[in-house]
Amino acid sequence: MEKGSCCDNNGLKKGVWTKDEDNKLRAYIQRYGHWNWNLLPKFAGVSRSGKSCRLRWMNYLRPNMKHGNFTEEEDNVIISLHNKIGNKWSTIATRLPGRSDNEIKNRWNAHLKKRVKDNQTLSRSEHIRALKPDLINLEVNLVKETNLELQDQEEDQIIYPIVSFESSSSSSRSFK
DNA sequence: AATTTCCGCAACCGCATAAAT
DNA sequence: CATTTATGCGGTTGCGGAAAT
């Protein structure tokens, strides 16, 4: 049998999706759409729960999905938004075309959380100095935009995120 | 070269909310 | 309105490959 294959107590397959399952699911949804996730696997010829199918589609099979290789800009968007709204992964995902909430959550937990934590002793001005100049405008605009959309805050209450760059000098972060 | 530990990622689970009956 | 069923979300797990020992 294939590695990682396993069934739940209803005999439905669990674990990693095979190429064949992907093809069946993709082919079905591209032709008929997803009108009912519970019934869909039967019609698509996939022995999975509807929930599993939905997840697979949303995270991986949907058109135009990117995978891996987050750009500095994407990381900054995640950090900025997370700083502002917390673990609202699906909301954050709406700002990153081609990225699923799941992937963003993974990115945060595996990489960005630690990076931000390591820099939490930086003051706001130190944070601003730590930003690469060409990214400051992008960053500030994004944060302003987000603050406006989400809850109409006064500009001086905007919380600026803390972002580090591997290539930047450490001189600005040696004391607090 | 063999074994263990680490880590990224895909997928699962439980719960909350929405929609249907 | 109450109950059931479907969907969406976020926390968490565990597999498998990479790195370390």
Side-chain angles (χ1 to χ4, degrees), chain A residues 56-69:
Chain A
R56 185 62 179 168
W57 175 257
M58 294 298 187
N59 291 339
Y60 191 78
L61 296 175
R62 261 190 305 159
N64 306 318
M65 292 302 284
K66 301 172 189 169
H67 297 105
N69 302 318

Side-chain angles (χ1 to χ4, degrees), chain A residues 52-110:
Chain A
S52 180
C53 291
R54 178 186 164 275
L55 202 67
R56 185 62 179 168
W57 175 257
M58 294 298 187
N59 291 339
Y60 191 78
L61 296 175
R62 261 190 305 159
N64 306 318
M65 292 302 284
K66 301 172 189 169
H67 297 105
N69 302 318
F70 277 78
T71 65
E72 193 74 48
E73 286 76 15
E74 285 178 315
D75 281 348
N76 290 338
V77 170
I78 295 170
I79 291 170
S80 300
L81 287 171
H82 186 274
N83 182 270
K84 185 67 199 67
I85 66 178
N87 301 352
K88 306 289 184 196
W89 307 118
S90 61
T91 305
I92 295 172
T94 64
R95 295 307 203 86
L96 293 173
R99 301 294 190 184
S100 71
D101 55 351
N102 204 42
E103 195 175 18
I104 292 167
K105 179 171 59 183
N106 284 335
R107 180 69 182 167
W108 172 261
N109 286 329

Side-chain angles (χ1 to χ4, degrees), chain A residues 24-173:
Chain A
K24 285 177 175 172
L25 185 62
R26 186 190 296 106
Y28 184 86
I29 294 178
Q30 282 178 348
R31 246 176 259 146
Y32 305 109
H34 48 82
W35 33 269
N36 183 323
W37 285 111
N38 261 354
L39 300 178
L40 187 146
K42 295 176 181 60
F43 287 92
V46 176
S47 180
R48 293 269 182 174
S49 69
K51 204 169 180 173
S52 180
C53 291
R54 178 186 164 275
L55 202 67
R56 185 62 179 168
W57 175 257
M58 294 298 187
N59 291 339
Y60 191 78
L61 296 175
R62 261 190 305 159
N64 306 318
M65 292 302 284
K66 301 172 189 169
H67 297 105
N69 302 318
F70 277 78
T71 65
E72 193 74 48
E73 286 76 15
E74 285 178 315
D75 281 348
N76 290 338
V77 170
I78 295 170
I79 291 170
S80 300
L81 287 171
H82 186 274
N83 182 270
K84 185 67 199 67
I85 66 178
N87 301 352
K88 306 289 184 196
W89 307 118
S90 61
T91 305
I92 295 172
T94 64
R95 295 307 203 86
L96 293 173
R99 301 294 190 184
S100 71
D101 55 351
N102 204 42
E103 195 175 18
I104 292 167
K105 179 171 59 183
N106 284 335
R107 180 69 182 167
W108 172 261
N109 286 329
H111 303 271
L112 305 179
K113 180 166 63 179
K114 184 170 178 295
R115 195 208 284 185
V116 169
K117 194 182 174 201
D118 288 346
N119 286 278
Q120 267 175 351
T121 53
L122 288 178
S123 70
R124 172 169 157 169
S125 60
E126 283 166 340
H127 156 69
I128 295 293
R129 262 185 278 128
L131 288 170
K132 284 178 178 172
D134 62 334
L135 286 173
I136 289 178
N137 287 340
L138 170 73
E139 189 70 10
V140 170
N141 286 339
L142 170 71
V143 172
K144 282 181 180 172
E145 196 185 329
T146 304
N147 277 271
L148 282 176
E149 273 185 20
L150 295 174
Q151 37 182 290
D152 276 335
Q153 279 185 294
E154 297 299 320
E155 177 151 347
D156 60 4
Q157 292 181 323
I158 291 174
I159 300 164
Y160 287 83
I162 296 167
V163 185
S164 70
F165 298 93
E166 290 82 59
S167 59
S168 66
S169 97
S170 60
S171 59
S172 65
R173 46 180 299 199

